[in-house]
Amino acid sequence: MRIAVLGTGQLARMMALAGMPMGVEFCFVKSPGEDSRCVDHLGDVVEATDDSHVADLYEQLGRPDVVTTEKEGVDVAFYEQFAQHCDVSPPSKAVWISQNRLREKTFLNDSGVPTAAFAPANRLDEISGLASELGYPVIVKTQENGYDGKGQWWLDSDADAAAMAKVNGVEDSGPWLLEKVVPFKKEVSVVAARTQSGAVAAYPLAENVHRNGILLTSISPVADLDEALASEVKGHITRIMNALNYVGVLSMECFVTEDGVVANELAPRVHNSGHWTQNAMPVGQFEQHVRAVFDLPLSVTPVSGVAGMLNLLGVKANAGDVLQTGQHLHWYGKEVRPGRKVGHINVTADDRITLEATLKQLQAALYS
Ligand code: AMP
């Protein structure tokens, strides 16, 4: 069994670290200039340039059984071409949908999944009119290439819309999507998997806290979450996966409001908010993805206790300092730069109070 992963980052690394014990071989496709330090020594790394032919790459990669991706920012036409040689999981359509916020929100609504009210804008001078129609406050997001909170403007009034139009370089960042601000109580996510035979398994939801638009902590199960609401979210992701004939792990980020749940974003891959599964579940999300693409049985067992994750954003953690009982360090082997995701610490505990106290202590010690 051999998998080629598009991308050479930490998600590719953790997929390989989870799949190798099952005898799965890994190889990786990198773009010119992409740092492959995370996956060096875990399998062959083949560079794809604009001139590369997929048939040649397939041979250089050692004829993998499956091509998958660790990121949504791939050239979909390129990804799709591998289907002439082997399985391509997740399907390219799912990747294509997730690359554009307008496509994604339209697809979610068409699949019966509620989202924030939204409106597309192609020109800057349309924004204040559309925002008034939606009702302030709104968030304006670039339709493509925005991630981790980048390419977003919060507007409370027409004056903010006018100020946004004057920001340096903003005119080149369109088209945009306006979204009505959702007054959420919590941000949660669900990570689920579907096999080729159509078996589906979803992990318990996690509650996520972001710092400067980047995920900082996840905790699962979510405190005080209505069971019916959790089932609704799992129902949504199952419907989406079935509609797309999806194979692999899919993640969905949602807002919990007074009136129910609305979806914000899909990620056609393993997700940072699912890292806690590595140490809290017999089969974590990375192994689950490998199982799904090879049509092996999925596994989700009830969580005993509470699990959490703290991202290491530009901060180094030493194993000696953090490996207390119930703590697990995952270091990606990257150079530490300000704000960069360089690792995470998973924590498990019997109860929520202990877990939250441990996460707080770690955060205070590492981010002081
Ligand atoms: P995104 O890039 O869509 O994941 O947004 C980054 C973060 O901005 C989210 O995790 C939320 O905290 C916030 N956000 C995005 N969209 C909305 C919205 N429509 N209403 C309220 N907050 C939002």
Side-chain angles (χ1 to χ4, degrees), residues 340-351:
R340 190 182 201 198
K341 285 180 188 171
V342 287
H344 65 273
I345 298 168
N346 284 337
V347 180
T348 52
D350 291 337
D351 61 89

Side-chain angles (χ1 to χ4, degrees), residues 4 6 53-55 57-58 61 63-68 75-93 196:
L6 300 194
H53 293 291
V54 165
L57 284 173
Y58 173 70
L61 287 164
R63 299 177 166 230
D65 303 289
V66 183
V67 170
T68 190
D75 178 339
V76 171
F78 168 75
Y79 181 52
E80 213 162 54
Q81 278 180 54
F82 281 102
Q84 292 165 17
H85 306 279
C86 61
D87 288 341
V88 170
S89 307
S92 55
K93 185 173 175 198
Q196 250 169 17

Side-chain angles (χ1 to χ4, degrees), residues 311-347:
N311 259 344
L312 299 171
L313 304 172
V315 293
K316 197 164 168 28
N318 295 308
D321 297 335
V322 297
L323 294 187
Q324 310 293 321
T325 306
Q327 300 181 12
H328 310 264
L329 175 64
H330 297 259
W331 186 251
Y332 309 150
K334 288 173 162 180
E335 194 188 320
V336 180
R337 287 194 222 126
R340 190 182 201 198
K341 285 180 188 171
V342 287
H344 65 273
I345 298 168
N346 284 337
V347 180

Side-chain angles (χ1 to χ4, degrees), residues 101 116 139 141 148-149 152 154 179-182 184 187 210 253 255 264-265:
R101 292 183 193 276
I139 297 182
K141 303 178 180 180
D148 286 343
Q152 300 192 0
W154 176 295
E179 285 180 28
K180 198 167 165 58
V181 167
V182 177
F184 60 79
E187 292 193 71
H210 297 85
E253 292 181 85
F255 301 129
N264 182 38
E265 221 166 33

